[in-house]
Amino acid sequence: MDKAQIVKYLLDHDIQKVKFAFADIDGILRGKTIHRKKFIDGLDEGYGFCDVVFGWDSSDVIYDNAAVTGWHTGFPDRLCRIDLNTFRTIPWEQDLPFFLADFGTGDGGGLPVCPRTLLRRIEKECEDAGFHPEFSQEFEWFNFKESPDSLQDKDFNGLRPLSPGMFGYSILRPSQHSAFYHDVFDLLGRFDIILEGLHTETGPGVYEAAILHSKVLRSADKAVLFKSGVKEIASRHGIVASFMAKWNAELPGCSGHIHQSLWSSDQKKNLFYEAGASDRISELFRHYIAGQLYCLPHILPMFAPTVNSFKRLVEGTWAPTTLSWGYDNRTTALRALNGTEKSARLETRVPGSDCNPYLAMAAALASGLYGIKNKLSLEIQATKGNAYQEKDVQRLPSNLGAATEAMSNSTIASDLFGKAFVEHFTATRMWEWSQYEKQVSKWELKRYFEGI
């Protein structure tokens, strides 16, 4: 629907309010509900929005190391624009009209630290190179019979999972909570987020969903809205949904794997597939894999952005720990799927469900394109078997501090995303790490308080 059609829709249905939102640096949706008149008046010129949303962390604590905004700027309004192509209605809010926005100009310009603006620019670079980027993300998450109030009252201890036991791919468990299960599938579908599949994963109360693939920016939009939508639907069933990467050391973590392929500009040919090759993958696909492997140590925080992200990246937990790739191998960082032209793709397995989809997809696409542009050779051999046992393969940084330091000092990262974005993003990740380092954990108290 274009501008005129949307305005007509609002008037014809006597709709008085509209909701819009955008993703901050952590991938958290920030936004507001506005009156129809304000919405219509701002369609051409945009809307002012306080830029504190890029000056504070996920707990609304002001960064003390960010230059883009802060007390030193007075937190002015920045111009944001609603993307009319994102129009949908929220079925669990009486079909309230909803739009996504960003702090961009529509052509990739605008505020360089805005995640959606960054991905829009990378998508355009991909198209300018003659490729159509097709992406999708899948998520695992834990569900609890809790509320925001009970989480605080319990201090996050003794939480009740939606269902007990390890029941991966269970038919029984979803049927025991069928109202919630089917609302996730059906209501998200009406919200223009079509799921390819929804099932339980191994772990108490764990679900996994794969979102139908789309062009990269649209795919990231759907991934961001999926996480928010699941949380809102869950709340209406007395459930808290958590996309934390690793909430319990004894249980598996939650992934946010990214599937991707490059197609011809007319979308008729999968450029990752080559039927005549011995392994059915094209030279272009090999360059793309090589680019991701080469860039990964330089941009890891874009895939693993929190302290907790790295608690998931440990051996034997279905998450990667090394700079590795393999054919249909779920122990490697990159999993190449080469069965048919229709399905040939790369699965980047580093991201957890806590990632910002805009930044994770921007990182995947930009680094793959880097490999193509520079015709990087795929010198790392494909892993056969268990990647955890390959001791001579480079390991990923083990914590957010080390990964962020590597990114902040990397010319590769600045070449891919621009100096302004890298400086701001790494400053926010170092802030996150510094907040963690100040804390005294229960583990430390139990280990040292009395006996040391």
Side-chain angles (χ1 to χ4, degrees), residues 186-232:
D186 299 338
L187 292 179
L188 286 175
R190 288 169 52 191
F191 195 47
D192 195 26
I193 302 173
I194 308 300
L195 302 186
E196 285 190 340
L198 175 65
H199 62 88
T200 63
E201 253 296 355
T202 185
V206 187
Y207 284 176
E208 178 177 356
I211 306 171
L212 188 68
H213 57 84
S214 308
K215 194 176 180 183
V216 63
L217 181 61
R218 179 170 169 78
S219 181
D221 287 343
K222 291 195 290 187
V224 168
L225 292 176
F226 170 85
K227 292 172 68 174
S228 180
V230 165
K231 292 175 183 179
E232 293 181 19

mmCIF file of all heavy atoms in Angstrom, residues 186-232:
data_model
loop_
_atom_site.group_PDB
_atom_site.id
_atom_site.type_symbol
_atom_site.label_atom_id
_atom_site.label_comp_id
_atom_site.label_asym_id
_atom_site.label_seq_id
_atom_site.Cartn_x
_atom_site.Cartn_y
_atom_site.Cartn_z
ATOM 1 N N ASP A 186 -0.388 -18.830 14.425
ATOM 2 C CA ASP A 186 -1.460 -18.202 13.653
ATOM 3 C C ASP A 186 -1.445 -16.681 13.738
ATOM 4 O O ASP A 186 -1.593 -15.992 12.718
ATOM 5 C CB ASP A 186 -2.818 -18.730 14.124
ATOM 6 C CG ASP A 186 -2.960 -20.234 13.921
ATOM 7 O OD1 ASP A 186 -2.238 -20.787 13.073
ATOM 8 O OD2 ASP A 186 -3.789 -20.853 14.619
ATOM 9 N N LEU A 187 -1.278 -16.136 14.952
ATOM 10 C CA LEU A 187 -1.298 -14.685 15.093
ATOM 11 C C LEU A 187 -0.088 -14.043 14.425
ATOM 12 O O LEU A 187 -0.195 -12.976 13.818
ATOM 13 C CB LEU A 187 -1.361 -14.295 16.569
ATOM 14 C CG LEU A 187 -2.664 -14.646 17.291
ATOM 15 C CD1 LEU A 187 -2.586 -14.226 18.762
ATOM 16 C CD2 LEU A 187 -3.857 -13.998 16.614
ATOM 17 N N LEU A 188 1.076 -14.693 14.515
ATOM 18 C CA LEU A 188 2.241 -14.157 13.821
ATOM 19 C C LEU A 188 2.033 -14.192 12.316
ATOM 20 O O LEU A 188 2.475 -13.295 11.591
ATOM 21 C CB LEU A 188 3.502 -14.933 14.210
ATOM 22 C CG LEU A 188 4.047 -14.655 15.608
ATOM 23 C CD1 LEU A 188 5.221 -15.562 15.911
ATOM 24 C CD2 LEU A 188 4.456 -13.202 15.782
ATOM 25 N N GLY A 189 1.372 -15.233 11.817
ATOM 26 C CA GLY A 189 1.064 -15.293 10.391
ATOM 27 C C GLY A 189 0.206 -14.127 9.960
ATOM 28 O O GLY A 189 0.447 -13.505 8.910
ATOM 29 N N ARG A 190 -0.792 -13.785 10.765
ATOM 30 C CA ARG A 190 -1.634 -12.630 10.461
ATOM 31 C C ARG A 190 -0.866 -11.314 10.611
ATOM 32 O O ARG A 190 -1.262 -10.292 10.054
ATOM 33 C CB ARG A 190 -2.860 -12.628 11.372
ATOM 34 C CG ARG A 190 -3.872 -13.706 11.035
ATOM 35 C CD ARG A 190 -4.937 -13.835 12.106
ATOM 36 N NE ARG A 190 -5.559 -12.547 12.439
ATOM 37 C CZ ARG A 190 -6.364 -12.362 13.483
ATOM 38 N NH1 ARG A 190 -6.630 -13.374 14.300
ATOM 39 N NH2 ARG A 190 -6.891 -11.171 13.718
ATOM 40 N N PHE A 191 0.245 -11.354 11.342
ATOM 41 C CA PHE A 191 1.121 -10.194 11.535
ATOM 42 C C PHE A 191 2.195 -10.134 10.451
ATOM 43 O O PHE A 191 3.171 -9.401 10.568
ATOM 44 C CB PHE A 191 1.748 -10.292 12.924
ATOM 45 C CG PHE A 191 2.394 -9.034 13.437
ATOM 46 C CD1 PHE A 191 1.758 -7.802 13.358
ATOM 47 C CD2 PHE A 191 3.643 -9.081 14.039
ATOM 48 C CE1 PHE A 191 2.353 -6.653 13.852
ATOM 49 C CE2 PHE A 191 4.248 -7.944 14.544
ATOM 50 C CZ PHE A 191 3.593 -6.722 14.436
ATOM 51 N N ASP A 192 1.999 -10.905 9.394
ATOM 52 C CA ASP A 192 2.920 -10.961 8.253
ATOM 53 C C ASP A 192 4.281 -11.533 8.639
ATOM 54 O O ASP A 192 5.313 -11.147 8.097
ATOM 55 C CB ASP A 192 3.084 -9.590 7.606
ATOM 56 C CG ASP A 192 3.726 -9.662 6.220
ATOM 57 O OD1 ASP A 192 3.597 -10.712 5.563
ATOM 58 O OD2 ASP A 192 4.385 -8.689 5.807
ATOM 59 N N ILE A 193 4.278 -12.457 9.595
ATOM 60 C CA ILE A 193 5.489 -13.207 9.930
ATOM 61 C C ILE A 193 5.132 -14.680 9.796
ATOM 62 O O ILE A 193 4.607 -15.307 10.719
ATOM 63 C CB ILE A 193 5.983 -12.892 11.354
ATOM 64 C CG1 ILE A 193 6.245 -11.394 11.506
ATOM 65 C CG2 ILE A 193 7.260 -13.678 11.669
ATOM 66 C CD1 ILE A 193 6.572 -10.970 12.917
ATOM 67 N N ILE A 194 5.381 -15.215 8.600
ATOM 68 C CA ILE A 194 5.003 -16.595 8.298
ATOM 69 C C ILE A 194 6.093 -17.532 8.821
ATOM 70 O O ILE A 194 7.278 -17.356 8.517
ATOM 71 C CB ILE A 194 4.826 -16.806 6.788
ATOM 72 C CG1 ILE A 194 3.882 -15.750 6.201
ATOM 73 C CG2 ILE A 194 4.307 -18.215 6.506
ATOM 74 C CD1 ILE A 194 2.500 -15.762 6.785
ATOM 75 N N LEU A 195 5.691 -18.518 9.613
ATOM 76 C CA LEU A 195 6.635 -19.494 10.137
ATOM 77 C C LEU A 195 6.682 -20.716 9.237
ATOM 78 O O LEU A 195 5.648 -21.264 8.859
ATOM 79 C CB LEU A 195 6.231 -19.908 11.561
ATOM 80 C CG LEU A 195 6.136 -18.796 12.611
ATOM 81 C CD1 LEU A 195 5.875 -19.400 13.991
ATOM 82 C CD2 LEU A 195 7.387 -17.932 12.627
ATOM 83 N N GLU A 196 7.898 -21.143 8.908
ATOM 84 C CA GLU A 196 8.057 -22.398 8.182
ATOM 85 C C GLU A 196 7.781 -23.577 9.096
ATOM 86 O O GLU A 196 7.279 -24.613 8.658
ATOM 87 C CB GLU A 196 9.474 -22.510 7.616
ATOM 88 C CG GLU A 196 9.731 -21.648 6.401
ATOM 89 C CD GLU A 196 11.053 -21.984 5.737
ATOM 90 O OE1 GLU A 196 11.924 -22.597 6.420
ATOM 91 O OE2 GLU A 196 11.223 -21.653 4.560
ATOM 92 N N GLY A 197 8.142 -23.425 10.352
ATOM 93 C CA GLY A 197 7.935 -24.513 11.306
ATOM 94 C C GLY A 197 8.036 -24.013 12.725
ATOM 95 O O GLY A 197 8.684 -22.997 13.002
ATOM 96 N N LEU A 198 7.363 -24.736 13.626
ATOM 97 C CA LEU A 198 7.379 -24.423 15.060
ATOM 98 C C LEU A 198 7.354 -25.736 15.811
ATOM 99 O O LEU A 198 6.502 -26.594 15.551
ATOM 100 C CB LEU A 198 6.161 -23.576 15.434
ATOM 101 C CG LEU A 198 5.948 -23.253 16.913
ATOM 102 C CD1 LEU A 198 7.070 -22.377 17.443
ATOM 103 C CD2 LEU A 198 4.593 -22.566 17.120
ATOM 104 N N HIS A 199 8.319 -25.922 16.730
ATOM 105 C CA HIS A 199 8.385 -27.185 17.465
ATOM 106 C C HIS A 199 9.100 -26.975 18.795
ATOM 107 O O HIS A 199 9.700 -25.928 19.037
ATOM 108 C CB HIS A 199 9.097 -28.261 16.648
ATOM 109 C CG HIS A 199 10.534 -27.931 16.320
ATOM 110 N ND1 HIS A 199 11.589 -28.240 17.156
ATOM 111 C CD2 HIS A 199 11.092 -27.312 15.250
ATOM 112 C CE1 HIS A 199 12.721 -27.837 16.612
ATOM 113 N NE2 HIS A 199 12.450 -27.271 15.454
ATOM 114 N N THR A 200 9.024 -27.972 19.651
ATOM 115 C CA THR A 200 9.780 -27.917 20.902
ATOM 116 C C THR A 200 11.226 -28.278 20.610
ATOM 117 O O THR A 200 11.539 -29.048 19.700
ATOM 118 C CB THR A 200 9.220 -28.888 21.943
ATOM 119 O OG1 THR A 200 9.343 -30.234 21.460
ATOM 120 C CG2 THR A 200 7.782 -28.583 22.276
ATOM 121 N N GLU A 201 12.140 -27.702 21.398
ATOM 122 C CA GLU A 201 13.550 -28.088 21.375
ATOM 123 C C GLU A 201 13.859 -28.797 22.686
ATOM 124 O O GLU A 201 13.059 -28.789 23.621
ATOM 125 C CB GLU A 201 14.450 -26.867 21.195
ATOM 126 C CG GLU A 201 15.083 -26.749 19.824
ATOM 127 C CD GLU A 201 16.043 -27.888 19.504
ATOM 128 O OE1 GLU A 201 16.311 -28.742 20.375
ATOM 129 O OE2 GLU A 201 16.523 -27.940 18.369
ATOM 130 N N THR A 202 15.045 -29.383 22.762
ATOM 131 C CA THR A 202 15.392 -30.096 23.982
ATOM 132 C C THR A 202 15.615 -29.098 25.118
ATOM 133 O O THR A 202 16.340 -28.114 24.972
ATOM 134 C CB THR A 202 16.629 -30.983 23.787
ATOM 135 O OG1 THR A 202 16.869 -31.746 24.981
ATOM 136 C CG2 THR A 202 17.867 -30.172 23.461
ATOM 137 N N GLY A 203 14.945 -29.331 26.231
ATOM 138 C CA GLY A 203 14.998 -28.417 27.371
ATOM 139 C C GLY A 203 13.605 -28.128 27.868
ATOM 140 O O GLY A 203 12.639 -28.177 27.099
ATOM 141 N N PRO A 204 13.440 -27.830 29.127
ATOM 142 C CA PRO A 204 12.119 -27.556 29.691
ATOM 143 C C PRO A 204 11.515 -26.257 29.165
ATOM 144 O O PRO A 204 12.071 -25.183 29.377
ATOM 145 C CB PRO A 204 12.391 -27.478 31.196
ATOM 146 C CG PRO A 204 13.831 -27.120 31.318
ATOM 147 C CD PRO A 204 14.506 -27.764 30.153
ATOM 148 N N GLY A 205 10.398 -26.387 28.461
ATOM 149 C CA GLY A 205 9.691 -25.209 27.972
ATOM 150 C C GLY A 205 10.334 -24.504 26.803
ATOM 151 O O GLY A 205 10.072 -23.322 26.586
ATOM 152 N N VAL A 206 11.151 -25.206 26.027
ATOM 153 C CA VAL A 206 11.857 -24.570 24.912
ATOM 154 C C VAL A 206 11.097 -24.792 23.604
ATOM 155 O O VAL A 206 10.696 -25.913 23.287
ATOM 156 C CB VAL A 206 13.279 -25.140 24.748
ATOM 157 C CG1 VAL A 206 14.041 -24.339 23.694
ATOM 158 C CG2 VAL A 206 14.026 -25.115 26.056
ATOM 159 N N TYR A 207 10.929 -23.716 22.838
ATOM 160 C CA TYR A 207 10.376 -23.797 21.483
ATOM 161 C C TYR A 207 11.419 -23.306 20.488
ATOM 162 O O TYR A 207 12.326 -22.541 20.836
ATOM 163 C CB TYR A 207 9.130 -22.922 21.350
ATOM 164 C CG TYR A 207 7.868 -23.483 21.981
ATOM 165 C CD1 TYR A 207 6.703 -22.726 21.979
ATOM 166 C CD2 TYR A 207 7.827 -24.743 22.573
ATOM 167 C CE1 TYR A 207 5.529 -23.207 22.553
ATOM 168 C CE2 TYR A 207 6.660 -25.231 23.152
ATOM 169 C CZ TYR A 207 5.521 -24.466 23.136
ATOM 170 O OH TYR A 207 4.362 -24.942 23.707
ATOM 171 N N GLU A 208 11.259 -23.750 19.253
ATOM 172 C CA GLU A 208 12.082 -23.246 18.156
ATOM 173 C C GLU A 208 11.176 -22.947 16.971
ATOM 174 O O GLU A 208 10.269 -23.717 16.664
ATOM 175 C CB GLU A 208 13.153 -24.250 17.735
ATOM 176 C CG GLU A 208 13.987 -23.762 16.553
ATOM 177 C CD GLU A 208 15.114 -24.709 16.151
ATOM 178 O OE1 GLU A 208 15.312 -25.718 16.841
ATOM 179 O OE2 GLU A 208 15.776 -24.416 15.132
ATOM 180 N N ALA A 209 11.433 -21.825 16.301
ATOM 181 C CA ALA A 209 10.663 -21.433 15.129
ATOM 182 C C ALA A 209 11.605 -20.990 14.024
ATOM 183 O O ALA A 209 12.612 -20.322 14.280
ATOM 184 C CB ALA A 209 9.692 -20.305 15.465
ATOM 185 N N ALA A 210 11.267 -21.365 12.803
ATOM 186 C CA ALA A 210 11.981 -20.899 11.617
ATOM 187 C C ALA A 210 11.048 -19.988 10.836
ATOM 188 O O ALA A 210 9.896 -20.350 10.561
ATOM 189 C CB ALA A 210 12.423 -22.078 10.762
ATOM 190 N N ILE A 211 11.537 -18.804 10.487
ATOM 191 C CA ILE A 211 10.736 -17.803 9.780
ATOM 192 C C ILE A 211 10.955 -17.967 8.278
ATOM 193 O O ILE A 211 12.074 -18.193 7.827
ATOM 194 C CB ILE A 211 11.123 -16.388 10.228
ATOM 195 C CG1 ILE A 211 11.024 -16.257 11.755
ATOM 196 C CG2 ILE A 211 10.240 -15.347 9.557
ATOM 197 C CD1 ILE A 211 11.608 -14.958 12.297
ATOM 198 N N LEU A 212 9.888 -17.858 7.511
ATOM 199 C CA LEU A 212 9.980 -17.968 6.063
ATOM 200 C C LEU A 212 10.948 -16.929 5.512
ATOM 201 O O LEU A 212 10.933 -15.766 5.921
ATOM 202 C CB LEU A 212 8.595 -17.777 5.434
ATOM 203 C CG LEU A 212 8.472 -18.048 3.929
ATOM 204 C CD1 LEU A 212 8.671 -19.529 3.642
ATOM 205 C CD2 LEU A 212 7.120 -17.585 3.420
ATOM 206 N N HIS A 213 11.796 -17.348 4.565
ATOM 207 C CA HIS A 213 12.854 -16.481 4.051
ATOM 208 C C HIS A 213 12.301 -15.332 3.207
ATOM 209 O O HIS A 213 11.218 -15.412 2.615
ATOM 210 C CB HIS A 213 13.854 -17.300 3.236
ATOM 211 C CG HIS A 213 13.231 -18.064 2.089
ATOM 212 N ND1 HIS A 213 12.992 -17.488 0.865
ATOM 213 C CD2 HIS A 213 12.797 -19.348 1.993
ATOM 214 C CE1 HIS A 213 12.451 -18.384 0.062
ATOM 215 N NE2 HIS A 213 12.317 -19.513 0.723
ATOM 216 N N SER A 214 13.079 -14.241 3.182
ATOM 217 C CA SER A 214 12.723 -13.024 2.454
ATOM 218 C C SER A 214 14.017 -12.309 2.070
ATOM 219 O O SER A 214 15.112 -12.717 2.461
ATOM 220 C CB SER A 214 11.881 -12.071 3.315
ATOM 221 O OG SER A 214 10.768 -12.698 3.892
ATOM 222 N N LYS A 215 13.879 -11.226 1.344
ATOM 223 C CA LYS A 215 15.014 -10.347 1.088
ATOM 224 C C LYS A 215 15.536 -9.830 2.419
ATOM 225 O O LYS A 215 14.781 -9.670 3.373
ATOM 226 C CB LYS A 215 14.579 -9.189 0.194
ATOM 227 C CG LYS A 215 15.716 -8.393 -0.409
ATOM 228 C CD LYS A 215 15.168 -7.342 -1.362
ATOM 229 C CE LYS A 215 16.271 -6.522 -1.983
ATOM 230 N NZ LYS A 215 15.725 -5.451 -2.868
ATOM 231 N N VAL A 216 16.820 -9.539 2.520
ATOM 232 C CA VAL A 216 17.500 -9.429 3.806
ATOM 233 C C VAL A 216 16.880 -8.387 4.747
ATOM 234 O O VAL A 216 16.679 -8.672 5.936
ATOM 235 C CB VAL A 216 19.015 -9.180 3.607
ATOM 236 C CG1 VAL A 216 19.306 -7.878 2.904
ATOM 237 C CG2 VAL A 216 19.746 -9.264 4.937
ATOM 238 N N LEU A 217 16.571 -7.183 4.274
ATOM 239 C CA LEU A 217 16.018 -6.170 5.174
ATOM 240 C C LEU A 217 14.641 -6.599 5.682
ATOM 241 O O LEU A 217 14.345 -6.470 6.872
ATOM 242 C CB LEU A 217 15.927 -4.810 4.480
ATOM 243 C CG LEU A 217 15.375 -3.663 5.332
ATOM 244 C CD1 LEU A 217 16.269 -3.408 6.551
ATOM 245 C CD2 LEU A 217 15.218 -2.391 4.509
ATOM 246 N N ARG A 218 13.826 -7.100 4.796
ATOM 247 C CA ARG A 218 12.502 -7.577 5.197
ATOM 248 C C ARG A 218 12.625 -8.757 6.166
ATOM 249 O O ARG A 218 11.851 -8.880 7.116
ATOM 250 C CB ARG A 218 11.700 -7.979 3.962
ATOM 251 C CG ARG A 218 10.317 -8.516 4.253
ATOM 252 C CD ARG A 218 9.504 -8.659 2.961
ATOM 253 N NE ARG A 218 8.284 -9.396 3.165
ATOM 254 C CZ ARG A 218 7.179 -8.897 3.710
ATOM 255 N NH1 ARG A 218 7.174 -7.643 4.123
ATOM 256 N NH2 ARG A 218 6.097 -9.634 3.850
ATOM 257 N N SER A 219 13.618 -9.601 5.944
ATOM 258 C CA SER A 219 13.831 -10.739 6.831
ATOM 259 C C SER A 219 14.218 -10.277 8.229
ATOM 260 O O SER A 219 13.735 -10.817 9.232
ATOM 261 C CB SER A 219 14.922 -11.648 6.258
ATOM 262 O OG SER A 219 15.135 -12.771 7.086
ATOM 263 N N ALA A 220 15.089 -9.282 8.306
ATOM 264 C CA ALA A 220 15.479 -8.753 9.612
ATOM 265 C C ALA A 220 14.296 -8.083 10.302
ATOM 266 O O ALA A 220 14.127 -8.198 11.526
ATOM 267 C CB ALA A 220 16.635 -7.764 9.458
ATOM 268 N N ASP A 221 13.472 -7.368 9.524
ATOM 269 C CA ASP A 221 12.248 -6.783 10.090
ATOM 270 C C ASP A 221 11.409 -7.867 10.753
ATOM 271 O O ASP A 221 10.932 -7.711 11.887
ATOM 272 C CB ASP A 221 11.416 -6.115 8.999
ATOM 273 C CG ASP A 221 12.003 -4.801 8.503
ATOM 274 O OD1 ASP A 221 12.862 -4.222 9.200
ATOM 275 O OD2 ASP A 221 11.582 -4.348 7.419
ATOM 276 N N LYS A 222 11.212 -8.954 10.033
ATOM 277 C CA LYS A 222 10.366 -10.037 10.554
ATOM 278 C C LYS A 222 11.003 -10.688 11.779
ATOM 279 O O LYS A 222 10.296 -11.086 12.710
ATOM 280 C CB LYS A 222 10.098 -11.062 9.457
ATOM 281 C CG LYS A 222 9.202 -10.536 8.346
ATOM 282 C CD LYS A 222 8.646 -11.628 7.454
ATOM 283 C CE LYS A 222 9.673 -12.266 6.583
ATOM 284 N NZ LYS A 222 9.055 -13.209 5.610
ATOM 285 N N ALA A 223 12.323 -10.805 11.791
ATOM 286 C CA ALA A 223 12.998 -11.414 12.936
ATOM 287 C C ALA A 223 12.845 -10.558 14.190
ATOM 288 O O ALA A 223 12.576 -11.073 15.289
ATOM 289 C CB ALA A 223 14.478 -11.635 12.615
ATOM 290 N N VAL A 224 13.014 -9.236 14.043
ATOM 291 C CA VAL A 224 12.851 -8.334 15.181
ATOM 292 C C VAL A 224 11.415 -8.376 15.695
ATOM 293 O O VAL A 224 11.163 -8.457 16.907
ATOM 294 C CB VAL A 224 13.243 -6.896 14.780
ATOM 295 C CG1 VAL A 224 12.811 -5.891 15.835
ATOM 296 C CG2 VAL A 224 14.755 -6.801 14.572
ATOM 297 N N LEU A 225 10.470 -8.344 14.779
ATOM 298 C CA LEU A 225 9.062 -8.366 15.173
ATOM 299 C C LEU A 225 8.647 -9.717 15.726
ATOM 300 O O LEU A 225 7.743 -9.804 16.555
ATOM 301 C CB LEU A 225 8.188 -7.982 13.978
ATOM 302 C CG LEU A 225 8.316 -6.533 13.501
ATOM 303 C CD1 LEU A 225 7.467 -6.301 12.258
ATOM 304 C CD2 LEU A 225 7.921 -5.562 14.604
ATOM 305 N N PHE A 226 9.294 -10.782 15.261
ATOM 306 C CA PHE A 226 9.008 -12.111 15.793
ATOM 307 C C PHE A 226 9.291 -12.159 17.291
ATOM 308 O O PHE A 226 8.463 -12.611 18.085
ATOM 309 C CB PHE A 226 9.839 -13.169 15.072
ATOM 310 C CG PHE A 226 9.779 -14.525 15.709
ATOM 311 C CD1 PHE A 226 8.758 -15.399 15.424
ATOM 312 C CD2 PHE A 226 10.751 -14.927 16.632
ATOM 313 C CE1 PHE A 226 8.683 -16.649 16.027
ATOM 314 C CE2 PHE A 226 10.692 -16.161 17.237
ATOM 315 C CZ PHE A 226 9.653 -17.029 16.930
ATOM 316 N N LYS A 227 10.470 -11.688 17.686
ATOM 317 C CA LYS A 227 10.839 -11.743 19.096
ATOM 318 C C LYS A 227 9.875 -10.933 19.949
ATOM 319 O O LYS A 227 9.384 -11.398 20.987
ATOM 320 C CB LYS A 227 12.282 -11.241 19.278
ATOM 321 C CG LYS A 227 13.330 -12.154 18.673
ATOM 322 C CD LYS A 227 14.722 -11.540 18.703
ATOM 323 C CE LYS A 227 15.265 -11.408 20.105
ATOM 324 N NZ LYS A 227 16.672 -10.953 20.116
ATOM 325 N N SER A 228 9.573 -9.734 19.507
ATOM 326 C CA SER A 228 8.647 -8.890 20.256
ATOM 327 C C SER A 228 7.248 -9.489 20.249
ATOM 328 O O SER A 228 6.552 -9.500 21.274
ATOM 329 C CB SER A 228 8.613 -7.485 19.646
ATOM 330 O OG SER A 228 7.723 -6.640 20.340
ATOM 331 N N GLY A 229 6.831 -10.011 19.099
ATOM 332 C CA GLY A 229 5.498 -10.592 18.995
ATOM 333 C C GLY A 229 5.308 -11.797 19.877
ATOM 334 O O GLY A 229 4.262 -11.962 20.529
ATOM 335 N N VAL A 230 6.304 -12.673 19.927
ATOM 336 C CA VAL A 230 6.227 -13.854 20.785
ATOM 337 C C VAL A 230 6.074 -13.436 22.244
ATOM 338 O O VAL A 230 5.261 -13.997 22.994
ATOM 339 C CB VAL A 230 7.466 -14.750 20.598
ATOM 340 C CG1 VAL A 230 7.583 -15.783 21.726
ATOM 341 C CG2 VAL A 230 7.411 -15.464 19.254
ATOM 342 N N LYS A 231 6.847 -12.432 22.668
ATOM 343 C CA LYS A 231 6.763 -11.974 24.054
ATOM 344 C C LYS A 231 5.378 -11.425 24.370
ATOM 345 O O LYS A 231 4.823 -11.684 25.452
ATOM 346 C CB LYS A 231 7.829 -10.902 24.316
ATOM 347 C CG LYS A 231 9.257 -11.423 24.277
ATOM 348 C CD LYS A 231 10.251 -10.286 24.434
ATOM 349 C CE LYS A 231 11.677 -10.785 24.334
ATOM 350 N NZ LYS A 231 12.675 -9.692 24.455
ATOM 351 N N GLU A 232 4.809 -10.665 23.445
ATOM 352 C CA GLU A 232 3.491 -10.081 23.679
ATOM 353 C C GLU A 232 2.403 -11.156 23.704
ATOM 354 O O GLU A 232 1.504 -11.120 24.544
ATOM 355 C CB GLU A 232 3.199 -9.033 22.603
ATOM 356 C CG GLU A 232 4.100 -7.812 22.696
ATOM 357 C CD GLU A 232 3.796 -6.770 21.640
ATOM 358 O OE1 GLU A 232 2.672 -6.805 21.068
ATOM 359 O OE2 GLU A 232 4.655 -5.917 21.373
#
